Amino acid sequence: MAAEHKSSKRKHPSMYDVARVAGVSQTTVSFVVNNVPNTNIPQETRDRVWAAVEELGWRPNALARGLSLQRSNTIGFVSDQIAIDPHAGKIIQGAQDAAWAQNKMLLVINTDSNSDIERAAMEMMLERQVEGLIYATMYHRPVTLLGAFRQMPTVLLDCYVEDRSLPSIVPDEVQGGRSATELLLQNGHRRIGFINHVEPIPATLGRLKGYKDALASYGMPFDPNLVCSGKAVTEEGYRCATRLMQLPQRPTALFCFKDEMALGAYDAVKELGLRIPDDVAIVGFDNLELIAAHMRPPLTTVELPHYAMGQWAVEYLLKHANDLNPEPLQHIIACPLIKRASV
């Protein structure tokens, strides 16, 4: 039985086997499969090598091949929570599509903001000789990185380091807030409530600035009574909308920091017997399609350009991977306005 079990194990073909079937040296096989330039190998010989590869079903050892060529064709992607969040999956999709377009693979590790996992992930990335790293966060914020991130080309996605010493891509929060408010102003609204996040992160501050800038461009004074802040959840959107709509001179439009907050605002407005958008127009932020596109009426919102950010990070990383002391670009990407029926 032992002999039968042993004989049933199929031996994986090797480069030696390919060379034997093709009638060439192992060096010739290596030159052909790695497409080494200036080797003057006749096309007929190349065809024999590839025919042998196909016949035997041989696959080169990717790790050994990467070591010999000094490239792994792999990009490391380290995130806090993105890989397990359905709303941010487009970041990975954009990065993966951009990597695949250049025959690279993405090695994704979700750390759940655990420093021990992050440290182990970095060691693994270095051992596998990834060609570069993307470090991505669930929301736009400053980060402090392990020193290992500076041992290879690194791009920051939806985050930045305070000294701006690494290239980064982040959404234009100010432009997003301004676009949302300008749309309401263009539709004749002059009392516009803003339901903002309570945490002092770049999105909170940037979207408030965009709101103020849009009002100023229309000669409208900023009224702090029209701003209500809370946690970025549905219940807080409901609470803030209820408070704003009970002002003696209520707003005719609401701009919400997040689509989840807009969902709560919908409930508050409808409970007051008001119609959207006839009595109150509402604009959200994020374009969470599972929510925004299926609200009644569908929600006009500002999109966080997740796919485009993932795509840009990979393209920039690969373009500048071999640059010596490149200027770390701090790229800000616009947030598109998605018009639906709530305005």
Side-chain angles (χ1 to χ4, degrees):
M1 289 293 291
E4 182 180 341
H5 176 71
K6 183 176 180 180
S7 64
S8 67
K9 291 184 178 179
R10 184 178 179 183
K11 181 183 176 184
H12 292 294
S14 65
M15 185 184 290
Y16 169 80
D17 297 321
V18 174
R20 178 177 54 79
V21 171
V24 299
S25 69
Q26 292 187 61
T27 300
T28 298
V29 173
S30 177
F31 283 172
V32 170
V33 298
N34 290 312
N35 198 26
V36 177
N38 304 318
T39 54
N40 297 318
I41 298 174
Q43 187 59 47
E44 183 270 338
T45 302
R46 292 177 181 274
D47 291 342
R48 290 208 320 271
V49 170
W50 285 117
V53 168
E54 184 69 22
E55 177 185 338
L56 295 171
W58 176 71
R59 295 292 181 269
N61 183 303
L63 182 57
R65 186 179 182 189
L67 290 171
S68 66
L69 297 175
Q70 294 190 326
R71 72 174 181 272
S72 63
N73 289 322
T74 304
I75 298 168
F77 187 105
V78 180
S79 77
D80 49 7
Q81 303 175 49
I82 289 171
I84 59 173
D85 189 282
H87 301 316
K90 286 186 177 180
I91 288 180
I92 294 177
Q93 184 183 346
Q96 182 172 276
D97 288 351
W100 193 246
Q102 300 193 47
N103 296 316
K104 308 292 182 183
M105 294 188 67
L106 210 61
L107 179 58
V108 180
I109 296 180
N110 199 81
T111 68
D112 202 25
S113 301
N114 184 308
S115 59
D116 291 335
I117 296 176
E118 186 174 294
R119 191 172 291 104
M122 283 305 306
E123 289 299 321
M124 188 182 75
M125 298 287 189
L126 291 169
E127 287 174 3
R128 281 159 177 73
Q129 294 190 333
V130 297
E131 296 182 27
L133 281 169
I134 295 171
Y135 185 83
T137 56
M138 187 61 207
Y139 64 91
H140 182 183
R141 61 185 175 90
V143 293
T144 301
L145 298 178
L146 298 171
F149 281 96
R150 299 181 185 272
Q151 296 181 31
M152 66 183 70
T154 298
V155 174
L156 305 181
L157 198 169
D158 210 13
C159 57
Y160 59 93
V161 287
E162 293 285 7
D163 65 1
R164 310 288 179 168
S165 58
L166 290 172
S168 68
I169 179 168
V170 297
D172 192 337
E173 308 286 5
V174 177
Q175 168 268 318
R178 185 171 59 246
S179 294
T181 310
E182 282 178 348
L183 176 67
L184 295 170
L185 289 163
Q186 290 163 4
N187 279 268
H189 297 282
R190 292 299 179 264
R191 283 189 64 78
I192 301 171
F194 181 30
I195 300 177
N196 201 9
H197 190 29
V198 72
E199 298 292 335
I201 58 175
T204 304
L205 304 175
R207 295 172 198 180
L208 176 61
K209 184 179 188 309
Y211 168 78
K212 290 180 176 179
D213 288 351
L215 292 175
S217 70
Y218 274 70
M220 302 295 300
F222 169 68
D223 182 353
N225 292 318
L226 286 173
V227 177
C228 180
S229 299
K231 293 181 179 180
V233 295
T234 301
E235 292 76 14
E236 290 291 88
Y238 173 86
R239 178 185 65 81
C240 281
T242 300
R243 185 181 77 75
L244 291 173
M245 298 309 295
Q246 290 176 342
L247 290 172
Q249 189 178 357
R250 66 170 179 81
T252 62
L254 297 173
F255 166 37
C256 301
F257 173 86
K258 207 168 175 61
D259 289 351
E260 287 99 329
M261 300 182 90
L263 185 60
Y266 265 48
D267 289 341
V269 167
K270 290 176 180 178
E271 280 188 10
L272 293 170
L274 301 172
R275 297 167 299 167
I276 304 168
D278 298 337
D279 300 314
V280 183
I282 298 180
V283 176
F285 208 111
D286 277 357
N287 192 31
L288 304 180
E289 293 185 17
L290 292 174
I291 296 175
H294 302 286
M295 293 167 67
R296 293 292 177 267
L299 177 67
T300 293
T301 185
V302 178
E303 182 174 67
L304 279 174
H306 286 146
Y307 183 91
M309 288 197 294
Q311 193 174 38
W312 184 94
V314 168
E315 291 173 350
Y316 181 89
L317 180 68
L318 294 176
K319 181 178 180 181
H320 297 278
N322 297 318
D323 290 358
L324 297 176
N325 301 316
E327 185 70 23
L329 179 65
Q330 311 299 310
H331 186 57
I332 301 175
I333 187 170
C335 299
L337 185 65
I338 309 299
K339 295 181 181 180
R340 297 194 179 96
S342 63
V343 176

